Amino acid sequence: MADDRSEEERKKTEGGQGPFADVDLARRMAALSRSLEEGKRGRDETARRFEGKGGSGYAAAMRLASEFVAGVLVGAALGWGLDEVAGTSPWGLIGFLLLGFAAGVLNALRAAGKIAEPDDRLAKNKDGGPSRHE
Amino acid sequence: MANEAIAQADRVDPIHQFHINSLVDFGRVGDSPFAFTNSALFMAITVVVIVGFMLLTTRGRGLVPGRMQSVTEIFYEFTANMLREAAGTEGMRFFPFVFTLFSFILVANLIGMVPYFFTVTAHIVITGALALLVMALVVGFGFAKHGFGFLKLFVPDDVPAAIMPMIVAIEILSFVSRPVSLSIRLFANMLAGHITLKVFASFILSLGAFGVLGWGGAILPFLMVVALTALEILVAFLQAYVFAILTCMYLNDALHPSH
Protein backbone atom coordinates (compact mmCIF):
# COMPACT_ATOMS: atom_id res chain seq x y z
CA MET A 1 0.00 0.00 0.00
CA ALA A 2 2.77 2.40 0.93
CA ASP A 3 4.16 2.15 -2.56
CA ASP A 4 1.06 3.64 -4.17
CA ARG A 5 1.28 6.80 -2.18
CA SER A 6 2.59 9.89 -3.91
CA GLU A 7 5.54 11.90 -2.68
CA GLU A 8 3.27 14.63 -1.33
CA GLU A 9 1.24 12.27 0.76
CA ARG A 10 4.35 10.83 2.26
CA LYS A 11 5.49 14.27 3.21
CA LYS A 12 2.22 14.90 4.93
CA THR A 13 2.59 11.89 7.14
CA GLU A 14 6.12 12.76 8.14
CA GLY A 15 4.85 14.31 11.35
CA GLY A 16 4.52 10.79 12.65
CA GLN A 17 0.70 10.77 12.70
CA GLY A 18 -0.07 8.43 9.85
CA PRO A 19 0.00 4.65 9.89
CA PHE A 20 3.08 4.71 7.62
CA ALA A 21 5.21 6.89 9.88
CA ASP A 22 7.24 3.98 11.19
CA VAL A 23 8.00 2.71 7.72
CA ASP A 24 8.98 6.17 6.69
CA LEU A 25 11.16 6.65 9.69
CA ALA A 26 12.89 3.33 9.19
CA ARG A 27 13.55 4.11 5.55
CA ARG A 28 14.90 7.53 6.37
CA MET A 29 17.11 6.09 9.08
CA ALA A 30 18.46 3.52 6.65
CA ALA A 31 19.14 6.21 4.07
CA LEU A 32 20.87 8.35 6.67
CA SER A 33 23.12 5.59 7.92
CA ARG A 34 23.92 4.66 4.33
CA SER A 35 24.97 8.18 3.47
CA LEU A 36 26.93 8.45 6.71
CA GLU A 37 28.72 5.26 5.84
CA GLU A 38 29.49 6.60 2.38
CA GLY A 39 30.79 9.81 3.84
CA LYS A 40 33.02 7.88 6.18
CA ARG A 41 34.40 5.77 3.38
CA GLY A 42 34.99 8.87 1.30
CA ARG A 43 36.86 10.48 4.16
CA ASP A 44 39.08 7.46 4.61
CA GLU A 45 39.85 7.40 0.93
CA THR A 46 40.77 11.06 0.79
CA ALA A 47 42.94 10.58 3.84
CA ARG A 48 44.73 7.68 2.24
CA ARG A 49 45.17 9.51 -1.03
CA PHE A 50 46.70 12.41 0.83
CA GLU A 51 49.12 10.05 2.50
CA GLY A 52 50.18 8.64 -0.80
CA LYS A 53 51.02 11.88 -2.54
CA GLY A 54 52.16 15.43 -2.26
CA GLY A 55 53.57 16.53 1.07
CA SER A 56 53.79 12.98 2.22
CA GLY A 57 56.12 12.13 -0.66
CA TYR A 58 58.48 14.72 0.76
CA ALA A 59 58.06 13.13 4.19
CA ALA A 60 58.82 9.70 2.78
CA ALA A 61 61.98 10.99 1.10
CA MET A 62 63.14 12.62 4.32
CA ARG A 63 62.38 9.46 6.21
CA LEU A 64 64.27 7.12 3.88
CA ALA A 65 67.32 9.38 3.83
CA SER A 66 67.43 9.93 7.58
CA GLU A 67 66.86 6.25 8.38
CA PHE A 68 69.84 5.30 6.26
CA VAL A 69 72.11 8.03 7.59
CA ALA A 70 71.13 7.22 11.17
CA GLY A 71 72.17 3.59 10.70
CA VAL A 72 75.60 4.57 9.42
CA LEU A 73 76.06 7.21 12.13
CA VAL A 74 75.10 4.87 14.94
CA GLY A 75 77.41 2.18 13.59
CA ALA A 76 80.31 4.59 13.36
CA ALA A 77 79.65 6.02 16.82
CA LEU A 78 79.40 2.59 18.45
CA GLY A 79 82.56 1.39 16.72
CA TRP A 80 84.45 4.50 17.72
CA GLY A 81 83.25 4.18 21.30
CA LEU A 82 84.27 0.54 21.39
CA ASP A 83 87.74 1.49 20.10
CA GLU A 84 88.06 4.13 22.80
CA VAL A 85 87.12 1.68 25.53
CA ALA A 86 88.87 -1.46 24.30
CA GLY A 87 91.78 0.15 22.47
CA THR A 88 91.16 -1.86 19.32
CA SER A 89 91.48 1.10 16.99
CA PRO A 90 90.66 1.11 14.12
CA TRP A 91 88.99 -2.28 13.85
CA GLY A 92 85.91 -1.51 15.89
CA LEU A 93 85.22 1.56 13.81
CA ILE A 94 85.69 -0.33 10.53
CA GLY A 95 83.60 -3.31 11.55
CA PHE A 96 80.76 -1.35 13.08
CA LEU A 97 80.73 1.15 10.24
CA LEU A 98 80.09 -1.75 7.87
CA LEU A 99 77.45 -3.20 10.16
CA GLY A 100 75.93 0.27 10.50
CA PHE A 101 75.78 0.54 6.73
CA ALA A 102 73.89 -2.75 6.62
CA ALA A 103 71.59 -1.54 9.39
CA GLY A 104 70.98 1.66 7.46
CA VAL A 105 70.00 -0.30 4.36
CA LEU A 106 67.76 -2.47 6.53
CA ASN A 107 66.16 0.66 8.03
CA ALA A 108 65.57 2.20 4.65
CA LEU A 109 64.06 -0.97 3.19
CA ARG A 110 61.87 -1.35 6.23
CA ALA A 111 60.75 2.25 5.98
CA ALA A 112 59.88 1.59 2.35
CA GLY A 113 57.86 -1.44 3.42
CA LYS A 114 59.98 -3.92 1.49
CA ILE A 115 60.90 -6.01 4.53
CA ALA A 116 58.70 -7.23 7.36
CA GLU A 117 58.83 -5.24 10.56
CA PRO A 118 60.66 -6.93 13.40
CA ASP A 119 57.53 -7.13 15.54
CA ASP A 120 55.96 -9.50 13.03
CA ARG A 121 58.45 -12.01 14.34
CA LEU A 122 56.91 -11.83 17.77
CA ALA A 123 53.72 -13.07 16.19
CA LYS A 124 52.86 -16.65 16.93
CA ASN A 125 51.17 -17.34 13.63
CA LYS A 126 52.97 -15.72 10.80
CA ASP A 127 50.49 -16.36 8.05
CA GLY A 128 49.76 -12.94 6.73
CA GLY A 129 48.60 -10.36 9.15
CA PRO A 130 47.82 -7.38 6.97
CA SER A 131 50.81 -5.18 6.43
CA ARG A 132 50.66 -1.90 8.25
CA HIS A 133 52.54 -0.20 5.51
CA GLU A 134 51.26 2.17 2.95
CA MET B 1 75.74 55.05 3.65
CA ALA B 2 75.30 52.22 1.19
CA ASN B 3 78.42 50.57 2.52
CA GLU B 4 77.14 50.83 6.03
CA ALA B 5 73.93 49.13 5.03
CA ILE B 6 75.87 46.37 3.29
CA ALA B 7 78.01 45.86 6.35
CA GLN B 8 74.84 45.76 8.42
CA ALA B 9 73.33 43.13 6.18
CA ASP B 10 76.50 41.07 6.20
CA ARG B 11 76.40 40.98 9.94
CA VAL B 12 73.10 39.11 9.87
CA ASP B 13 73.88 35.95 11.75
CA PRO B 14 71.56 33.12 10.72
CA ILE B 15 72.52 31.12 13.79
CA HIS B 16 71.77 33.90 16.24
CA GLN B 17 68.09 32.91 16.45
CA PHE B 18 69.06 29.63 18.11
CA HIS B 19 71.03 31.19 20.95
CA ILE B 20 70.01 30.06 24.40
CA ASN B 21 69.86 32.90 26.88
CA SER B 22 69.12 32.45 30.51
CA LEU B 23 66.24 34.61 31.65
CA VAL B 24 66.17 33.73 35.33
CA ASP B 25 69.29 32.32 36.92
CA PHE B 26 68.92 29.74 39.66
CA GLY B 27 72.65 29.34 40.21
CA ARG B 28 74.52 26.18 39.40
CA VAL B 29 73.92 22.47 39.84
CA GLY B 30 77.29 20.81 40.03
CA ASP B 31 79.28 22.35 37.20
CA SER B 32 76.44 23.25 34.90
CA PRO B 33 74.31 26.36 35.05
CA PHE B 34 70.70 25.94 36.04
CA ALA B 35 68.42 28.59 34.67
CA PHE B 36 65.07 29.38 33.15
CA THR B 37 66.09 29.97 29.54
CA ASN B 38 64.31 31.35 26.50
CA SER B 39 63.97 27.74 25.35
CA ALA B 40 62.19 26.85 28.58
CA LEU B 41 60.03 29.95 28.22
CA PHE B 42 58.86 28.91 24.77
CA MET B 43 58.26 25.35 25.91
CA ALA B 44 56.07 26.78 28.66
CA ILE B 45 54.31 29.00 26.11
CA THR B 46 53.74 25.96 23.91
CA VAL B 47 52.15 24.04 26.73
CA VAL B 48 50.03 27.00 27.77
CA VAL B 49 48.86 27.51 24.19
CA ILE B 50 47.90 23.85 23.81
CA VAL B 51 46.13 23.55 27.14
CA GLY B 52 44.49 26.92 26.77
CA PHE B 53 43.27 26.15 23.27
CA MET B 54 41.90 22.76 24.25
CA LEU B 55 40.16 24.07 27.35
CA LEU B 56 38.68 27.15 25.72
CA THR B 57 37.46 25.42 22.59
CA THR B 58 35.81 22.53 24.41
CA ARG B 59 34.32 24.65 27.16
CA GLY B 60 30.98 24.88 25.39
CA ARG B 61 30.78 21.07 25.25
CA GLY B 62 28.35 21.39 22.35
CA LEU B 63 26.79 18.20 21.12
CA VAL B 64 27.00 19.88 17.76
CA PRO B 65 30.49 21.34 17.87
CA GLY B 66 31.13 24.93 16.97
CA ARG B 67 33.91 25.90 14.63
CA MET B 68 36.72 25.94 17.15
CA GLN B 69 35.49 22.89 18.99
CA SER B 70 35.54 21.11 15.63
CA VAL B 71 39.22 21.92 15.26
CA THR B 72 39.99 20.28 18.58
CA GLU B 73 37.77 17.30 17.82
CA ILE B 74 39.32 16.80 14.39
CA PHE B 75 42.77 16.92 15.94
CA TYR B 76 41.71 14.36 18.53
CA GLU B 77 40.17 12.05 15.95
CA PHE B 78 43.11 12.40 13.60
CA THR B 79 45.53 11.35 16.32
CA ALA B 80 43.28 8.56 17.52
CA ASN B 81 42.88 7.16 14.01
CA MET B 82 46.60 7.37 13.38
CA LEU B 83 47.35 5.46 16.56
CA ARG B 84 44.59 2.91 15.95
CA GLU B 85 45.77 2.25 12.42
CA ALA B 86 49.41 1.85 13.40
CA ALA B 87 49.15 0.05 16.72
CA GLY B 88 45.61 -1.33 16.81
CA THR B 89 42.90 -0.65 19.36
CA GLU B 90 45.20 -1.91 22.09
CA GLY B 91 47.53 0.93 21.27
CA MET B 92 44.93 3.40 22.50
CA ARG B 93 46.36 2.99 25.99
CA PHE B 94 49.21 5.16 24.72
CA PHE B 95 46.86 7.76 23.34
CA PRO B 96 47.57 10.40 26.02
CA PHE B 97 51.29 10.02 25.40
CA VAL B 98 51.06 10.20 21.61
CA PHE B 99 48.56 13.07 21.72
CA THR B 100 50.78 15.06 24.08
CA LEU B 101 53.86 14.42 21.99
CA PHE B 102 52.13 15.25 18.71
CA SER B 103 50.52 18.44 19.94
CA PHE B 104 53.69 19.60 21.68
CA ILE B 105 55.86 19.16 18.59
CA LEU B 106 53.25 20.60 16.25
CA VAL B 107 52.60 23.70 18.32
CA ALA B 108 56.29 24.20 19.09
CA ASN B 109 57.05 24.03 15.36
CA LEU B 110 54.29 26.48 14.52
CA ILE B 111 55.21 28.92 17.28
CA GLY B 112 58.74 28.84 15.90
CA MET B 113 57.35 30.19 12.62
CA VAL B 114 56.33 33.47 14.26
CA PRO B 115 59.03 36.09 13.65
CA TYR B 116 61.30 36.75 16.66
CA PHE B 117 60.06 33.62 18.37
CA PHE B 118 62.34 30.85 19.47
CA THR B 119 62.08 27.44 17.82
CA VAL B 120 62.22 24.87 20.59
CA THR B 121 62.36 21.88 18.24
CA ALA B 122 65.41 23.21 16.37
CA HIS B 123 67.58 21.99 19.23
CA ILE B 124 68.69 18.39 19.21
CA VAL B 125 68.62 18.34 23.01
CA ILE B 126 64.84 18.67 22.88
CA THR B 127 64.18 16.31 19.99
CA GLY B 128 66.72 13.82 21.32
CA ALA B 129 65.04 13.85 24.73
CA LEU B 130 61.65 13.27 23.12
CA ALA B 131 62.97 10.41 20.97
CA LEU B 132 64.71 8.80 23.94
CA LEU B 133 61.47 9.10 25.90
CA VAL B 134 59.69 7.20 23.13
CA MET B 135 62.37 4.53 23.01
CA ALA B 136 62.43 4.18 26.79
CA LEU B 137 58.69 3.63 26.71
CA VAL B 138 58.99 1.06 23.91
CA VAL B 139 61.77 -0.89 25.61
CA GLY B 140 60.26 -0.60 29.08
CA PHE B 141 56.79 -1.65 28.02
CA GLY B 142 58.15 -4.34 25.71
CA PHE B 143 60.11 -6.00 28.51
CA ALA B 144 57.28 -5.58 30.96
CA LYS B 145 54.84 -7.25 28.60
CA HIS B 146 56.91 -9.95 26.92
CA GLY B 147 59.74 -10.38 29.40
CA PHE B 148 62.84 -11.59 27.65
CA GLY B 149 60.69 -12.65 24.73
CA PHE B 150 61.01 -9.03 23.67
CA LEU B 151 64.58 -9.81 22.65
CA LYS B 152 63.16 -11.93 19.86
CA LEU B 153 62.74 -8.60 18.17
CA PHE B 154 66.40 -8.91 17.26
CA VAL B 155 66.44 -12.57 16.23
CA PRO B 156 64.88 -13.44 12.88
CA ASP B 157 63.68 -16.98 12.25
CA ASP B 158 65.02 -19.10 9.45
CA VAL B 159 68.52 -17.68 9.61
CA PRO B 160 71.52 -20.03 9.37
CA ALA B 161 73.43 -20.16 12.64
CA ALA B 162 76.63 -19.15 10.87
CA ILE B 163 75.51 -15.62 10.07
CA MET B 164 73.20 -15.24 13.07
CA PRO B 165 75.58 -13.08 15.14
CA MET B 166 75.98 -10.64 12.29
CA ILE B 167 72.25 -10.43 11.65
CA VAL B 168 71.56 -9.85 15.33
CA ALA B 169 74.20 -7.14 15.43
CA ILE B 170 72.64 -5.45 12.41
CA GLU B 171 69.17 -5.70 13.92
CA ILE B 172 70.37 -4.19 17.18
CA LEU B 173 72.11 -1.37 15.33
CA SER B 174 68.95 -0.81 13.35
CA PHE B 175 66.96 -0.56 16.58
CA VAL B 176 69.48 1.77 18.20
CA SER B 177 69.46 4.02 15.16
CA ARG B 178 65.74 4.66 15.55
CA PRO B 179 65.93 7.40 18.18
CA VAL B 180 68.84 8.89 16.27
CA SER B 181 66.91 9.18 13.02
CA LEU B 182 63.78 10.26 14.87
CA SER B 183 65.52 13.12 16.66
CA ILE B 184 67.87 14.18 13.86
CA ARG B 185 65.08 14.37 11.29
CA LEU B 186 62.95 16.77 13.32
CA PHE B 187 65.84 18.88 14.55
CA ALA B 188 67.57 19.09 11.16
CA ASN B 189 64.38 20.04 9.35
CA MET B 190 63.57 22.86 11.72
CA LEU B 191 67.17 24.10 11.95
CA ALA B 192 67.81 24.02 8.20
CA GLY B 193 64.46 25.62 7.40
CA HIS B 194 64.95 28.54 9.75
CA ILE B 195 68.54 29.12 8.63
CA THR B 196 67.47 29.10 4.98
CA LEU B 197 64.74 31.62 5.72
CA LYS B 198 67.18 33.88 7.52
CA VAL B 199 69.80 33.65 4.78
CA PHE B 200 67.35 34.50 2.01
CA ALA B 201 65.92 37.33 4.09
CA SER B 202 69.43 38.74 4.52
CA PHE B 203 69.84 38.67 0.72
CA ILE B 204 66.94 41.11 0.53
CA LEU B 205 68.81 43.48 2.82
CA SER B 206 72.11 43.14 0.99
CA LEU B 207 70.57 43.68 -2.44
CA GLY B 208 68.33 46.45 -1.21
CA ALA B 209 71.44 48.37 -0.14
CA PHE B 210 72.45 48.78 -3.81
CA GLY B 211 69.74 51.30 -4.57
CA VAL B 212 67.03 51.10 -7.20
CA LEU B 213 68.70 48.35 -9.21
CA GLY B 214 69.14 46.36 -6.04
CA TRP B 215 65.48 46.72 -5.15
CA GLY B 216 64.63 45.07 -8.45
CA GLY B 217 66.97 42.23 -7.66
CA ALA B 218 65.71 41.98 -4.09
CA ILE B 219 62.31 40.91 -5.39
CA LEU B 220 63.69 37.48 -6.21
CA PRO B 221 64.85 36.54 -2.71
CA PHE B 222 61.70 38.16 -1.37
CA LEU B 223 59.53 35.82 -3.44
CA MET B 224 61.76 33.00 -2.27
CA VAL B 225 61.19 33.94 1.37
CA VAL B 226 57.44 33.99 0.84
CA ALA B 227 57.54 30.55 -0.77
CA LEU B 228 59.89 29.20 1.89
CA THR B 229 57.64 30.44 4.67
CA ALA B 230 54.77 28.47 3.20
CA LEU B 231 57.01 25.44 2.82
CA GLU B 232 58.21 25.77 6.40
CA ILE B 233 54.66 25.77 7.70
CA LEU B 234 54.04 22.59 5.71
CA VAL B 235 57.24 21.11 7.12
CA ALA B 236 56.16 22.05 10.64
CA PHE B 237 52.99 19.99 10.22
CA LEU B 238 54.71 17.20 8.36
CA GLN B 239 57.55 16.65 10.79
CA ALA B 240 55.21 16.62 13.75
CA TYR B 241 53.08 14.07 11.89
CA VAL B 242 56.09 11.93 10.96
CA PHE B 243 57.38 11.96 14.53
CA ALA B 244 53.97 10.97 15.83
CA ILE B 245 53.31 8.21 13.31
CA LEU B 246 56.75 6.69 13.85
CA THR B 247 56.12 6.80 17.58
CA CYS B 248 52.92 4.86 16.95
CA MET B 249 54.75 2.29 14.84
CA TYR B 250 57.49 1.82 17.42
CA LEU B 251 54.89 1.46 20.16
CA ASN B 252 53.30 -1.21 17.99
CA ASP B 253 56.58 -3.12 18.21
CA ALA B 254 56.33 -3.15 21.97
CA LEU B 255 52.63 -3.92 22.03
CA HIS B 256 51.81 -6.59 19.58
CA PRO B 257 52.72 -10.20 19.79
CA SER B 258 50.01 -10.98 17.24
CA HIS B 259 49.41 -8.34 14.72
Side-chain angles (χ1 to χ4, degrees):
Chain A
M1 277 297 273
D3 294 334
D4 312 345
R5 289 145 50 81
S6 70
E7 204 59 45
E8 278 97 332
E9 280 172 39
R10 257 186 226 139
K11 272 189 190 133
K12 270 178 215 149
T13 55
E14 262 184 1
Q17 302 299 322
F20 303 104
D22 283 352
V23 185
D24 247 2
L25 192 64
R27 203 187 44 229
R28 274 161 57 205
M29 294 266 277
L32 181 64
S33 62
R34 205 164 41 240
S35 67
L36 272 178
E37 203 59 42
E38 264 164 27
K40 210 171 181 182
R41 215 176 307 128
R43 255 208 320 275
D44 286 352
E45 265 161 32
T46 40
R48 213 153 286 141
R49 237 178 287 132
F50 174 75
E51 268 176 33
K53 277 185 203 160
S56 191
Y58 174 83
M62 274 306 300
R63 186 171 171 214
L64 288 179
S66 64
E67 293 279 6
F68 177 67
V69 171
V72 178
L73 281 183
V74 166
L78 273 184
W80 186 79
L82 192 74
D83 279 347
E84 287 291 297
V85 172
T88 49
S89 179
W91 299 110
L93 180 61
I94 293 175
F96 272 90
L97 191 61
L98 292 175
L99 283 177
F101 185 85
V105 173
L106 184 67
N107 279 346
L109 284 175
R110 223 166 240 160
K114 302 286 185 197
I115 299 184
E117 292 283 327
D119 66 295
D120 292 347
R121 256 178 251 137
L122 293 178
K124 294 285 185 295
N125 56 340
K126 295 181 54 185
D127 49 349
S131 169
R132 280 181 283 103
H133 278 284
E134 314 80 353
Chain B
M1 256 253 310
N3 282 338
E4 241 171 61
I6 292 172
Q8 183 81 35
D10 282 345
R11 273 207 299 276
V12 171
D13 178 9
I15 305 293
H16 180 73
Q17 56 180 324
F18 303 116
H19 266 278
I20 303 244
N21 315 310
S22 76
L23 301 176
V24 184
D25 246 321
F26 295 121
R28 306 177 79 79
V29 175
D31 276 342
S32 40
F34 183 64
F36 189 78
T37 61
N38 53 349
S39 177
L41 174 68
F42 275 96
M43 275 187 266
I45 289 176
T46 304
V47 172
V48 167
V49 166
I50 296 169
V51 173
F53 184 80
M54 297 279 164
L55 286 181
L56 284 180
T57 53
T58 56
R59 200 174 45 177
R61 292 212 176 79
L63 196 58
V64 178
R67 215 173 281 151
M68 295 316 280
Q69 192 182 336
S70 287
V71 173
T72 307
E73 286 185 7
I74 286 170
F75 188 51
Y76 169 89
E77 276 178 17
F78 181 79
T79 317
N81 283 337
M82 178 173 71
L83 183 57
R84 232 182 256 122
E85 235 170 69
T89 319
E90 213 188 328
M92 285 304 280
R93 75 169 71 192
F94 292 120
F95 179 77
F97 176 71
V98 173
F99 190 78
T100 310
L101 205 60
F102 188 26
S103 53
F104 179 79
I105 294 172
L106 179 62
V107 174
N109 286 352
L110 288 177
I111 282 181
M113 285 309 297
V114 179
Y116 294 105
F117 278 27
F118 183 84
T119 317
V120 175
T121 42
H123 280 271
I124 197 163
V125 180
I126 308 296
T127 62
L130 293 176
L132 285 178
L133 184 65
V134 171
M135 279 352 249
L137 186 65
V138 167
V139 172
F141 186 80
F143 273 114
K145 184 161 184 198
H146 305 297
F148 282 101
F150 184 64
L151 290 177
K152 263 173 74 185
L153 201 65
F154 305 122
V155 187
D157 310 324
D158 324 325
V159 172
I163 59 169
M164 188 59 108
M166 211 165 77
I167 298 290
V168 170
I170 290 173
E171 287 282 358
I172 290 176
L173 274 182
S174 159
F175 187 82
V176 172
S177 71
R178 278 174 173 187
V180 176
S181 72
L182 202 56
S183 53
I184 285 184
R185 182 170 32 233
L186 178 58
F187 134 84
N189 261 291
M190 302 319 290
L191 185 80
H194 282 81
I195 288 178
T196 318
L197 267 181
K198 204 59 113 190
V199 167
F200 272 98
S202 74
F203 285 167
I204 302 177
L205 279 183
S206 319
L207 283 171
F210 285 122
V212 179
L213 209 77
W215 296 344
I219 289 178
L220 290 177
F222 179 71
L223 289 178
M224 198 66 191
V225 168
V226 172
L228 276 175
T229 305
L231 179 72
E232 278 310 304
I233 289 175
L234 175 75
V235 167
F237 276 100
L238 222 57
Q239 289 307 319
Y241 172 71
V242 167
F243 199 102
I245 190 114
L246 284 178
T247 300
C248 294
M249 287 170 61
Y250 295 161
L251 286 173
N252 183 55
D253 277 0
L255 262 174
H256 273 187
S258 58
H259 185 78

